[in-house]
Each structure stands twice: as C-alpha cells, then as structure tokens.
Amino acid sequence: MERAGNSTNKKICPNCGTANFEDARFCENCGTDMGNYGVVSSPPQPMVKTPIPKWLLILIAETVLLAVSIYGSTMAIQSNRSPERVAESFFVHIANGDWEQGYSELDAEGSEFINAKMFAGAIARNNTLGIVTNYQIESPYDKQGADVLKSLYELADNLGLEEYLGQGSSGSSFEKTFEINYRLKGDTEKYSYLIMMNQTPEGWKVEASDFICRDFCIYVPKGLHVSLDGIELGEKYLLQEGEEGYEGDVYKSMDSYSVPKIFYGDHEIKVTMEDMEDVSESFQIGYGDYQYRLENVRLKEEVRDMLIQKAGENMQQIYSAALAGKNFSAIENLFFSNEEMRKQAKEDYEYLLADLNEGEYLPTRIIFQNIEGKSDPSNSIVYISLDYIVEYKYESWSGDWKNSQSDGSEEWMFGFRKETGNWVQTNLGCQTLYY
C-alpha cells in the first residue's frame, strides 16, 4: 500500500521489528495485530531536491548585474546633475554661444516666445561674457545673501506674488545661488557671473527671471498687422478695453498687444497694412523696458495723391450741400462712424449751413480755383490750399437786392481714416468763407 506524506512517526511491530505507518492496524510484514502498541518516532526521511536549471542561474546572475549597473549609472547621473554641475554647464554653454543647450538648463515654461530658438535669437548678439579663458565656481555663493533671496521668494509665494519674482515652471522653488569667477582672453581682471538655481520635479534648473521680461506691450496704429520675431500677434495677444496694459483714447486710434513672457535682448517687429509702407525694425528689450510704440506709419505715395484728390472732391460736395440748404444726413456717409467724431462734424456743418443761408449776405454761387494739396507721409492728414470766388446777393438800404462777389484764399486740413475698406473723413475740414 502506498501512502502519501513524509511522516516520521511509526509503529514498530513487536514480532518482526518492522516499522509501520502510525495508523497501521496490522504489521505490513508479518500481519501481527498492532492495535495496542504505541507510536514511536523514527528519524526524518531526507527530502529529494529538484536541481535548478543552469539557464535560470544565468538569468538570475544577469538580472543582478543589470540592477547593479543601473543603480551605479543613476548615482553617477545624479552626481553629474547636482546644482553646481548644472550651473557650471549653463555657464559653459553661454560662454561657448551654445544657446540651445543653454536654454535646456533654464527653468522656463515653453511658449511661442519662450523656446530655444527665441533664446538664441534674443541674446546671441548681447552675450557680454567675451572669450573666457578660465573660470572657477564658488559653491555656494554668499550663503547669507542666498538665504535672504530664498526668504524673499518664500514671502512672495505666501503673498501670491511669486509670478512677479520668478519665471520658473510650476513646481519649482528657489534654492541656491552660485558665483562663477572667470577671466577673459587678454584681460587680467576677474569677472563674476551669478547663477540662481531652482529645484524642480525634473531636477536642478537655472532660474530664468534674469532672462525673461513679463507682460511686454506693443502699441501700433489701429488696423495694422503686427508680427514679432516672425510670429503674427493677432487676436491672441490683442488687449481689450479694460484689460491691464490697454491704452485707448476716445477715437480708439491705437491697438494694444501684450506678450506675457519674452526674452530680454534683440527682437524684430514687422508692421504691415494696405496703403501703408511696411515697417520693419530691430529693437532691444532691456531691463526696465516694458513697451514698444509705433505712433505713425507712412502712407504710400499713390495713396497720398488719392487722398488729396478725395479731400478736394469732398470739399466741393460739402459746400454744394450747405449752399442748397441740405441737412447733415446728405453728406453723413463722408465721415468716420465714430460717434464723437461724427457729432463734431455735424456741429461744424450746421454752423456752416447757417452762415451760408442766414443773414444779410446770401451766397448764390461759390467757385473754387487753384486747388492744391499736400500730405505728410507719416499720417493721413491732407492740407488743401485754394482760391475762391463767392457770388452773393445782399439787401441794400433802400430794400433792393443787389449782386456782388468777393474772392480770397484759404488752407484747410482734412483728416482721413480707413474704415471697412474706404477712406473717410474724421473732421469737416471746410470753414466759413470771408466775403
């Protein structure tokens, strides 16, 4: 009979001495009844060991070696990316003009204007380091001063003002400042370069506040297309009335744009508009700079000639309507739709209307001659010079109406603005004539 188990408790047969299982009723060898005999312990039977395959031993050994290798590499990387090493790496990249690698060390959240390409374009021509021959990093720099700076950052964080002190990505905190002392080729003087470091979830990064300007505003005449460093600003950056940085007047003559973050340094702006000469300028954003302003653009020569002609035609139309006693609605379409501008033009027209149709001297015909115009290319203002003859009638002392005429010269100013594709006047322009 086969039995499962490896029990070491046996019943010893009193007749033949055979060791039987503890629950045996009869001896398996001689059949002797063992019901009244106790169980005795016998030495444990040795267990049979299954041999481990050789391939499994090799796999375990390789796994252990790989774990040791990864651990060693991780420790080496962590050592190489200490705050001192990151600060030194950043300094070397800047000294060598390797802007993209330098940018990779910054604690900066990327955007259209904050990236490696923009970093290179902005600071490449403003690298003040020169040719560095040797350098030495001090660790840490002025611990007391660094502690003060850290306290300021913590205070700003508590007050909800951290965005105005730091430019770092979310989750970063100011930790250390290092001073790198260096010398330039052909110069015996020692220079210093300070680098503040932030500890971020991704590791140590260089604090970016020394490189990034916040909320930089751009103001240009209304309706122009603006691109900054090759990026069209458009509605995304256009400020609305009431928003911080918005500048407007009653005539709404300027557009206001705001770029939340942009690198200090050199930039290119291009401004275009139909009928205007393109503006393409280089400018620099330095510490303390917060805006770029373009007050005027130059009209194309053919547009200036067209406005001079239009001013002359409008002048004739305005005087013809007034002389015929028509109200303002007859010429209203000549003017800009801005409520304040149109209101002023209407008041001026009504004064002219009364002058021509009321009083003792009533014009019957007005002749304009030698009409000439000029304009300033920097704005859309036209100056019209002219000679005129006024034929009029008046009531004599005897009660009879008599005819007469008078002549003179005038120069008037006509302002224009483009609206829905057409150039319209911003003022009446026409004045009363002396006769």
Side-chain angles (χ1 to χ4, degrees):
M1 179 186 296
E2 293 183 356
R3 296 186 181 246
N6 291 315
S7 173
T8 58
N9 296 326
K10 302 294 183 179
K11 279 185 178 181
I12 304 301
C13 178
N15 182 42
C16 67
T18 299
N20 294 274
F21 288 100
E22 62 178 326
D23 60 349
R25 174 68 177 168
F26 301 97
C27 177
E28 293 182 357
N29 181 47
C30 65
T32 300
D33 185 354
M34 297 188 298
N36 296 323
Y37 292 94
V39 178
V40 297
S41 297
S42 62
Q45 301 298 312
M47 296 181 64
V48 178
K49 295 183 178 179
T50 302
I52 300 175
K54 185 176 181 180
W55 64 268
L56 182 58
L57 292 173
I58 294 174
L59 178 61
I60 293 173
E62 290 180 346
T63 302
V64 172
L65 289 174
L66 179 60
V68 172
S69 175
I70 292 174
Y71 176 77
S73 299
T74 302
M75 294 303 293
I77 291 172
Q78 289 178 346
S79 175
N80 289 337
R81 301 309 294 171
S82 67
E84 293 89 345
R85 298 286 73 80
V86 175
E88 180 181 13
S89 174
F90 178 76
F91 176 81
V92 170
H93 290 320
I94 297 303
N96 290 336
D98 190 354
W99 314 118
E100 293 192 7
Q101 288 299 317
Y103 172 80
S104 69
E105 307 284 10
L106 286 180
D107 179 21
E109 186 175 356
S111 68
E112 283 187 301
F113 291 99
I114 301 296
N115 52 59
K117 180 181 177 181
M118 292 298 183
F119 184 67
I123 73 169
R125 284 178 287 181
N126 291 286
N127 177 26
T128 58
L129 290 183
I131 302 177
V132 177
T133 56
N134 59 75
Y135 66 89
Q136 181 178 0
I137 185 169
E138 302 291 339
S139 173
Y141 163 74
D142 185 7
K143 186 177 185 305
Q144 182 177 0
D147 289 342
V148 171
L149 284 174
K150 183 176 180 180
S151 297
L152 286 174
Y153 273 69
E154 292 174 349
L155 177 61
D157 182 57
N158 293 333
L159 295 176
L161 301 174
E162 67 281 357
E163 63 176 319
Y164 295 101
L165 279 180
Q167 308 288 349
S169 58
S170 59
S172 63
S173 61
F174 173 75
E175 294 289 342
K176 296 180 181 294
T177 300
F178 295 97
E179 178 183 29
I180 297 181
N181 296 316
Y182 64 97
R183 296 184 187 277
L184 300 177
K185 182 178 181 180
D187 193 343
T188 58
E189 187 175 349
K190 183 176 73 173
Y191 298 91
S192 295
Y193 193 89
L194 296 182
I195 300 178
M196 293 187 294
M197 304 296 298
N198 291 340
Q199 192 171 29
T200 76
E202 293 77 29
W204 288 98
K205 292 284 188 178
V206 175
E207 165 62 35
S209 58
D210 283 344
F211 301 94
I212 296 178
C213 173
R214 292 185 64 90
D215 300 323
F216 187 79
C217 292
I218 295 173
Y219 303 103
V220 298
K222 195 170 188 65
L224 302 183
H225 300 286
V226 184
S227 62
L228 179 61
D229 296 330
I231 296 174
E232 183 79 20
L233 294 186
E235 294 291 333
K236 179 179 179 180
Y237 298 96
L238 184 65
L239 292 174
Q240 302 300 321
E241 187 172 0
E243 292 185 311
E244 185 175 356
Y246 174 84
E247 283 192 9
D249 53 31
V250 67
Y251 305 120
K252 297 184 176 9
S253 59
M254 300 289 285
D255 278 333
S256 306
Y257 296 90
S258 179
V259 179
K261 293 181 181 179
I262 190 170
F263 287 113
Y264 290 114
D266 293 331
H267 297 275
E268 297 283 339
I269 192 167
K270 187 172 183 179
V271 181
T272 61
M273 182 181 180
E274 185 182 9
D275 300 332
M276 303 289 184
E277 294 180 0
D278 292 350
V279 175
S280 184
E281 293 182 349
S282 298
F283 70 99
Q284 189 175 93
I285 301 177
Y287 295 115
D289 294 336
Y290 62 92
Q291 66 171 299
Y292 170 91
R293 186 179 295 273
L294 180 65
E295 296 286 358
N296 297 305
V297 290
R298 295 174 62 91
L299 286 170
K300 293 178 179 178
E301 185 175 356
E302 59 269 26
V303 176
R304 299 201 305 271
D305 291 342
M306 179 271 295
L307 290 181
I308 290 172
Q309 181 179 351
K310 193 175 188 68
E313 292 173 353
N314 287 359
M315 178 190 67
Q316 299 269 21
Q317 188 174 342
I318 291 169
Y319 259 94
S320 294
L323 194 60
K326 296 179 180 179
N327 60 31
F328 183 72
S329 61
I331 57 168
E332 189 174 16
N333 64 317
L334 300 179
F335 299 94
F336 187 49
S337 63
N338 175 268
E339 184 178 350
E340 292 295 325
M341 287 185 174
R342 186 163 286 191
K343 178 181 178 182
Q344 184 61 55
K346 182 179 180 181
E347 290 179 0
D348 292 342
Y349 177 77
E350 289 175 347
Y351 181 82
L352 177 65
L353 185 65
D355 180 74
L356 295 178
N357 293 278
E358 298 176 6
E360 297 178 357
Y361 300 89
L362 301 177
T364 56
R365 189 168 69 137
I366 300 175
I367 303 170
F368 292 108
Q369 298 176 328
N370 304 321
I371 300 174
E372 295 182 357
K374 60 181 180 180
S375 67
D376 187 334
S378 65
N379 56 50
S380 53
I381 294 176
V382 172
Y383 297 92
I384 295 292
S385 60
L386 54 91
D387 297 329
Y388 65 87
I389 299 174
V390 179
E391 296 178 354
Y392 62 94
K393 62 181 180 178
Y394 66 95
E395 188 176 8
S396 67
W397 62 271
S398 61
D400 298 329
W401 286 92
K402 295 187 177 181
N403 296 318
S404 184
Q405 70 177 35
S406 178
D407 58 53
S409 298
E410 290 287 348
E411 182 176 271
W412 297 329
M413 183 191 77
F414 295 81
F416 286 91
R417 182 173 296 180
K418 199 165 190 179
E419 183 177 52
T420 62
N422 297 311
W423 286 95
V424 291
Q425 284 184 213
T426 58
N427 68 320
L428 184 68
C430 299
Q431 306 291 325
T432 56
L433 301 173
Y434 294 97
Y435 53 91

